[in-house]
Amino acid sequence: MLRYAIIFLVIAVIAAVLGFGGIAGAAAGIAEIIFYIFLVLFVIGIVAHLFRRA
């Protein structure tokens, strides 16, 4: 999932350099949402792992 966030971030940067403002904003928004989802799942995974060990 982090891979998709990075891909959308790269698309946003390329679109911003080429001057496609709408596409860059949309791709950056998608990348941000996917990154936050990844972050939440990562924290849940760490907490679940810690509870399983105990």
Side-chain angles (χ1 to χ4, degrees), residues 2-39:
L2 186 60
R3 175 190 229 180
Y4 292 129
I6 292 170
I7 289 171
F8 277 108
L9 180 65
V10 169
I11 290 171
V13 169
I14 291 172
V17 168
L18 295 177
F20 300 117
I23 296 171
I30 292 170
E32 185 178 1
I33 290 168
I34 292 173
F35 177 73
Y36 287 135
I37 291 171
F38 166 78
L39 211 58

Side-chain angles (χ1 to χ4, degrees), residues 30-52:
I30 292 170
E32 185 178 1
I33 290 168
I34 292 173
F35 177 73
Y36 287 135
I37 291 171
F38 166 78
L39 211 58
V40 168
L41 292 175
F42 180 72
V43 170
I44 289 171
I46 288 178
V47 170
H49 179 72
L50 291 175
F51 280 122
R52 263 191 260 164

